[in-house]
Amino acid sequence: MSLTNKVAIVTGGARGIGRGIVLALAKEGAKVVAFTYVSLSSTPHAAALVKEVSALGFSAHAIQADCRDLSAPNHIVTETLSAFSVSTLDILVNNAGVGSAGTLLGEITAEEFATVMDVNVRAVIFMTQAFVRHIARGGRIVNLSSVSARGGYATQSVYTASKAAVEGLTRVWATELGHKYGATVNAVNPGPVDTDMYRAAGKVHLIRMEEQNKKTPAAPRAGSENDVADIVLFLCEERSRWVTGDVVCANGGMMFV
């Protein structure tokens, strides 16, 4: 197994793409997979995922934490280290994110901007900062972007800006952390993936994406959790040691970049 004894943190891991990533890491032998969730409605999903990982013979630990809370990153790291009696961390997947309201430029509010940027950008920065304080040599950081970062889709101004920022941060951190920690930092840029977040993106955006899905070269459909999780898994393995500062576009050919 490629990740034997590795300790991983996945933010937003109870459902959707995050859940797929947690299972992919566990199936490759990650000794500890700590994952976060925020809402009470996700509690049963988190508990079920812990049981599923345990059934594979590995350990998982669910941490309820709101990424908008500035104390959350240190809390997540501290609880992970304590729960599994470890002193270093190997893998961070910054998956937690929120979509925007699907509003045109003239309708964007300060509240929408703050919510999206706090979760999709600020939380990624400070979660990574907290992780790096305990990173093991050769650690892996994977950030989740979106095809929206490059697609120029109407009604997606704030979300697009947040994911473009994540791609920029990925390149900066690859430069900053490579020699110092032997770490790689990459991003995965999914196209539409059939998750709760995708279905809640707004009627206008959803209709547009469904039309786009029909034209996707790899297959006329939205992506699945596993389509993305398998790529994240590779970027967490030793096999990806010569890949850093990169953005892998997991969109089935919807967009060639």
Side-chain angles (χ1 to χ4, degrees), residues 11 36 65-74 76 92-98 114-131 143 166 169 173:
T11 65
T36 69
D66 187 343
C67 291
R68 292 173 294 183
D69 186 340
L70 286 171
S71 67
N74 286 330
I76 293 164
L92 172 64
V93 182
N94 283 308
N95 170 73
V98 294
T115 296
V116 174
M117 288 297 181
D118 285 355
V119 175
N120 293 2
V121 182
R122 190 185 73 184
V124 170
I125 291 172
F126 289 106
M127 185 66 231
T128 305
Q129 182 188 76
F131 171 82
N143 301 318
V166 165
L169 291 170
W173 295 341

Side-chain angles (χ1 to χ4, degrees), residues 95-108:
N95 170 73
V98 294
S100 65
T103 49
L104 295 168
L105 173 61
E107 302 165 351
I108 297 169

Side-chain angles (χ1 to χ4, degrees), residues 50-99:
V50 168
K51 290 182 179 179
E52 193 168 353
V53 172
S54 296
L56 296 172
F58 300 99
S59 300
H61 183 64
I63 303 169
Q64 186 170 13
D66 187 343
C67 291
R68 292 173 294 183
D69 186 340
L70 286 171
S71 67
N74 286 330
H75 167 65
I76 293 164
V77 167
T78 299
E79 186 164 336
T80 300
L81 295 171
S82 175
F84 299 102
S85 300
V86 295
S87 59
T88 59
L89 303 168
D90 299 289
I91 297 166
L92 172 64
V93 182
N94 283 308
N95 170 73
V98 294

Side-chain angles (χ1 to χ4, degrees), residues 19 38 56 63 66 104 125-126 135 139 166 168 175 186 210 216 223 242 245:
R19 178 182 178 278
V38 60
L56 296 172
I63 303 169
D66 187 343
L104 295 168
I125 291 172
F126 289 106
I135 191 172
V166 165
T175 304
N186 292 288
E210 289 299 326
T216 302
W242 210 236

